[in-house]
Amino acid sequence: MARIDLIDVCKTLTERDAAPSGAGRGSTFSIQHLSLRIPDGKTMVVLGPSGCGKTTLLKIIAGLIPPDSGDVRYDDVAVTDLPPGDRRIGMVFQSYALYPHLSSRTNVLSYFLFRKKTPELDALAKVKYQRTSELMGVELAYLLDRKPTTLSGGEKQRVALGRCITRDASLFLVDEPFANLDQALREKYRVNLKILLRQFNITTVYVTHDHHEALILAHVLAVMNRGRIEQVGTPEEIYDTPKNVFVAGFLNLHTGTPPISLIDARCLPEGLELGNTWVGVRPEDVQMSPEGRDGSVRGLVADTLRLPLEHTTLVTIRVGEHEVHAQTPGDENHRPGDQVWLTFKRYHLFEKESGLRLRSYDGALAHP
């Protein structure tokens, strides 16, 4: 196992697309002054939209891309100049990266294939292979004599994961391995991977844009955007106390519903006290009533959407120029045009210019 530290890491990448004239047109992406600690023996999921730098960050940790400045440390030892092959890492790529001319069995053992043969290495290979086979069971066993060209996407993923496990790794780096699988297989292998990581207790960095996947796998979550780590914490900490508007709007615990609604604080009865800010409220924290009460906000029902599997209805309410989404029991009946009054059980206050969260309110009680 290993604790990983990235200290003030900077990296600028330029991609060039060849134009018909032969000239190049480049787009630049940069990671600037990024610092991050990945705890020993835990699974950290780096969650962010496509193009935010997740895979670049993973490659910097692996040593596949050198940082322009800053340090990468494994257990307080600088490895910035250490080749990838000497870092004791196991990687699972979105593209699987299997050797097409070798059998699946040989792919699983490929770490040992390219090392000098010794009796000790052969014994270690047998032990690792046996353990991998026991952990992954029949789902790997029937694939071992087949070549990758004959395997489906899900089967290739199993072989790639088996190869990662068989290697004598102190760190797993996993790059969206389920992105090419259908929904049923994704659900299945997320759970399988969670079990495997728990059994190995190995430090793991897993990158994804899928918040549902992140919530299943993460001990610690790092939300990334535009080359920056916006917030680090447990999924519960980040959901309950988001650092800014981006984090609040990106992490969603409820499939099928908007994560948060933003309205001008001046729409609330106490708006003058809240200043020129945004109020952010999650659908589960909005209470609807046909009659006004102290502290409530008037709105008009704009639309409804039933979510049968969750036994709820998502109601969209117009409040001035803004929309508020409320999650209500499925048996409640609301129609477009109905007047309703809203109270917020819990809400966040965000600075308009920077988007930073200033404080949160549980009812009338404010807290940092």
Side-chain angles (χ1 to χ4, degrees):
M1 294 184 288
R3 186 186 72 243
I4 311 301
D5 288 292
L6 290 91
I7 303 170
D8 202 29
V9 168
C10 298
K11 182 65 184 180
T12 299
L13 297 172
T14 301
E15 295 182 359
R16 296 197 175 276
D17 301 317
S21 63
R25 184 177 61 184
S27 60
T28 301
F29 171 81
S30 65
I31 290 175
Q32 295 295 330
H33 306 292
L34 185 149
S35 295
L36 181 66
R37 168 165 286 186
I38 297 127
D40 187 10
K42 302 294 184 182
T43 297
M44 171 175 278
V45 175
V46 181
L47 175 68
S50 298
C52 73
K54 303 185 298 295
T55 298
T56 300
L57 177 63
L58 206 67
K59 289 179 178 179
I60 289 173
I61 296 172
L64 298 174
I65 295 178
D68 296 334
S69 61
D71 286 329
V72 179
R73 295 178 175 269
Y74 288 18
D75 289 330
D76 292 327
V77 177
V79 297
T80 308
D81 299 323
L82 195 67
D86 296 332
R87 296 194 184 194
R88 290 189 61 198
I89 56 175
M91 292 195 70
V92 180
F93 300 91
Q94 181 178 340
S95 60
Y96 313 120
L98 300 175
Y99 298 105
H101 62 292
L102 300 178
S103 70
S104 296
R105 188 188 309 273
T106 308
N107 268 280
V108 168
L109 291 168
S110 59
Y111 170 70
F112 302 95
L113 183 66
F114 301 107
R115 300 174 71 87
K116 184 178 179 180
K117 299 293 183 184
T118 65
E120 293 79 9
L121 189 69
D122 288 343
L124 179 61
K126 289 180 181 178
V127 170
K128 289 285 186 180
Y129 178 77
Q130 181 65 28
R131 188 179 184 193
T132 302
S133 299
E134 289 172 356
L135 283 171
M136 299 196 68
V138 67
E139 293 197 341
L140 179 67
Y142 83 97
L143 304 176
L144 292 176
D145 295 322
R146 296 165 57 187
K147 290 186 177 180
T149 51
T150 69
L151 303 180
S152 68
E155 290 168 339
K156 289 177 182 176
Q157 186 270 336
R158 273 172 266 172
V159 174
L161 185 57
R163 178 182 58 187
C164 180
I165 293 170
T166 302
R167 176 165 185 167
D168 186 25
S170 60
L171 172 66
F172 285 166
L173 302 176
V174 189
D175 186 5
E176 301 199 73
F178 309 126
N180 298 327
L181 305 184
D182 62 48
Q183 183 64 31
L185 283 176
R186 278 204 302 271
E187 296 290 345
K188 180 178 181 179
Y189 290 129
R190 283 168 183 161
V191 175
N192 285 359
L193 181 59
K194 177 78 170 180
I195 294 170
L196 287 170
L197 293 177
R198 187 167 57 202
Q199 289 175 327
F200 274 90
N201 199 32
I202 287 180
T203 307
T204 302
V205 184
Y206 186 106
V207 303
T208 183
H209 65 276
D210 187 323
H211 61 261
H212 182 56
E213 198 161 274
L215 293 170
I216 291 174
L217 295 171
H219 291 114
V220 183
L221 193 60
V223 180
M224 190 171 187
N225 185 38
R226 297 181 180 179
R228 298 184 304 174
I229 298 296
E230 298 284 356
Q231 187 172 356
V232 178
T234 66
E236 294 81 7
E237 289 169 347
I238 292 177
Y239 189 78
D240 291 339
T241 55
K243 183 178 179 180
N244 54 37
V245 168
F246 172 80
V247 174
F250 194 75
L251 182 62
N252 191 357
L253 295 186
H254 306 285
T255 304
T257 64
I260 199 164
S261 304
L262 294 175
I263 64 172
D264 195 305
R266 288 170 291 188
C267 294
L268 272 61
E270 65 273 29
L272 292 178
E273 301 173 14
L274 300 177
N276 186 26
T277 56
W278 292 115
V279 167
V281 60
R282 300 196 183 277
E284 66 268 25
D285 293 325
V286 179
Q287 292 181 318
M288 299 174 58
S289 173
E291 298 179 356
R293 46 182 147 173
D294 290 344
S296 61
V297 181
R298 178 183 176 276
L300 294 175
V301 174
D303 198 7
T304 62
L305 176 65
R306 292 193 180 277
L307 304 172
L309 295 180
E310 298 186 16
H311 306 291
T312 60
T313 298
L314 180 66
V315 183
T316 302
I317 306 106
R318 295 288 302 179
V319 177
E321 299 177 352
H322 309 286
E323 288 187 344
V324 174
H325 302 283
Q327 194 170 341
T328 66
D331 55 357
E332 289 190 9
N333 188 24
H334 300 283
R335 294 176 298 179
D338 286 352
Q339 177 176 277
V340 293
W341 296 85
L342 309 179
T343 52
F344 303 154
K345 294 184 293 183
R346 174 181 171 83
Y347 62 91
H348 307 292
L349 206 63
F350 299 100
E351 189 176 66
K352 280 192 174 180
E353 186 172 345
S354 67
L356 291 173
R357 184 179 62 89
L358 302 173
R359 54 190 177 276
S360 300
Y361 289 83
D362 284 310
L365 182 63
H367 59 85

